[in-house]
Amino acid sequence: MAQVLASAAIPQSLLLQPDARLTRQQYVALYRTVAATLDDEMLGLWSRPIRTGTLKYLMLSLLDSPTLLVALHRFVRFWNLLLDDYRLQISSKNDLVRLALVERAPGTPVTPLGHELMMKLIHGIASWLLGREISLQRVEFSYARPRHVGDYAFLYPGEVGFNAGMTSIFFAYQDCAASFKREKHELWAFLKRAPEDWTFSVLQRASIAARTREFLEAHITRPVTIHDLAQALHTSVRTLNRRFAEEGTHFQAVKDGLRRDMAVHSLSNSNMSVAALAFDLGFFDATGFCRAFKQWTGSSPSEYRKGSRQGD
């Protein structure tokens, strides 16, 4: 474990902090290292290893599909040759295409990260094949709402639900009926960057959390209030609060999440002083920023910076 973390420049001390954050680069490096160490491209999360090279041959089997829907049917058949604990099921109803994870035997253990990654993989591959981010109508998970539920708005650009009978992802039939053309040389670039291209989505404009984050990022040095946001989005505070509640969050949580992520990125990748960083993030002084950062991550900014540099 120590070697894996070190190779991704992640200090072991972060494992003791439930709210510690990784940079995007650290996540990608960690994923690749774990996959290589285990010889399992799905990180040991399923009943049998998904050996190195599986993604390549999966993608090669999809390239000559006439439409995305045909590619998704091939995707399902491919995975059902590999998984023992679950099978993928594809169906169409009411202008929607649904891909669901169905347990092969009652009481099959649920590994939330495995379910998260499978839904990301489906959405990421579908988007790459079409050359644009395909609209995600809805994604449902068979487990309870997790502690980090706020992150789902940025991982899954659409409506998200929990405690469902099966983990499922829904696309518009119209999108799935679309044709595409991808060449092998494009695939090699996609595989070389994996898992980055299929993990991270462009923010969905329909998500109020994403739109709020986008607005706040452009005005991060100002003390923006929910009233400012309402004015910018041409809506009422009451409507905003209702939409935040529907997404399982609230204005201050989105604001704190953005400032936390920007702070972590800066502390991990620059030598900017804590005072300057506090000012850039809209705090009146470094003391207030340090107090907030401690609440967000369990560490002071200086401790976090020191820990993030241990692997250098």
Side-chain angles (χ1 to χ4, degrees), residues 20-267:
R21 311 290 288 187
L22 300 181
T23 65
R24 178 168 172 158
Q25 293 78 11
Q26 285 175 318
Y27 167 81
V28 170
L30 178 64
Y31 194 108
R32 290 173 178 169
T33 303
V34 172
T37 302
L38 298 179
D39 189 18
D40 186 344
E41 292 186 339
M42 291 298 275
L43 312 186
L45 297 169
W46 301 99
S47 56
R48 65 166 67 183
I50 308 301
R51 299 296 186 193
T52 301
T54 299
L55 179 61
K56 178 178 76 172
Y57 287 101
L58 165 63
M59 297 302 295
L60 285 170
S61 75
L62 308 180
L63 283 186
D64 64 345
S65 302
T67 66
L68 178 60
L69 185 59
V70 172
L72 290 175
H73 275 279
R74 291 182 182 180
F75 181 96
V76 166
R77 290 197 296 271
F78 189 98
W79 276 102
N80 286 345
L81 294 173
L82 301 176
L83 300 182
D84 292 329
D85 39 0
Y86 286 87
R87 63 183 177 87
L88 277 172
Q89 180 185 79
I90 186 169
S91 58
S92 302
K93 184 178 181 181
N94 298 330
D95 296 322
L96 292 177
V97 174
R98 177 196 194 193
L99 281 81
L101 270 174
V102 183
E103 59 184 17
R104 292 187 184 271
T108 300
V110 174
T111 304
L113 180 57
H115 285 224
E116 289 175 353
L117 288 178
M118 183 61 77
M119 296 302 103
K120 283 302 311 174
L121 183 63
I122 294 170
H123 182 237
I125 288 178
S127 297
W128 181 81
L129 288 173
L130 289 186
R132 60 178 172 84
E133 184 169 79
I134 184 173
S135 297
L136 180 56
Q137 301 299 306
R138 179 172 175 79
V139 59
E140 299 175 342
F141 293 98
S142 60
Y143 49 84
R145 182 185 297 263
R147 187 168 180 266
H148 60 284
V149 66
D151 293 337
Y152 280 68
F154 307 102
L155 291 170
Y156 307 98
E159 185 181 351
V160 179
F162 299 93
N163 293 308
M166 292 180 288
T167 293
S168 307
I169 191 168
F170 296 81
F171 300 125
Y173 187 91
Q174 183 177 0
D175 283 332
C176 295
S179 60
F180 63 87
K181 184 173 178 58
R182 283 292 197 178
E183 303 292 343
K184 283 187 178 180
H185 69 86
E186 297 175 290
L187 174 58
W188 307 145
F190 173 80
L191 294 172
K192 185 176 181 180
R193 292 190 298 266
E196 186 161 7
D197 285 0
W198 60 262
T199 299
F200 298 103
S201 302
V202 177
L203 299 186
Q204 171 70 3
R205 304 296 182 186
S207 163
I208 194 61
R211 295 181 68 188
T212 298
R213 197 169 163 115
E214 182 181 40
F215 176 77
L216 290 172
E217 189 166 4
H219 303 86
I220 195 66
T221 59
R222 292 174 41 206
V224 176
T225 68
I226 193 172
H227 297 280
D228 299 322
L229 176 65
Q231 185 176 16
L233 298 183
H234 307 291
T235 188
S236 67
V237 171
R238 181 177 180 180
T239 298
L240 277 179
N241 282 327
R242 175 177 56 79
R243 293 194 60 190
F244 279 128
E246 289 172 353
E247 294 182 14
T249 188
H250 53 84
F251 174 76
Q252 192 61 46
V254 176
K255 185 176 181 179
D256 287 345
L258 172 63
R259 295 197 291 185
R260 174 202 60 206
D261 292 347
M262 292 179 73
V264 165
H265 180 80
S266 183
L267 291 169

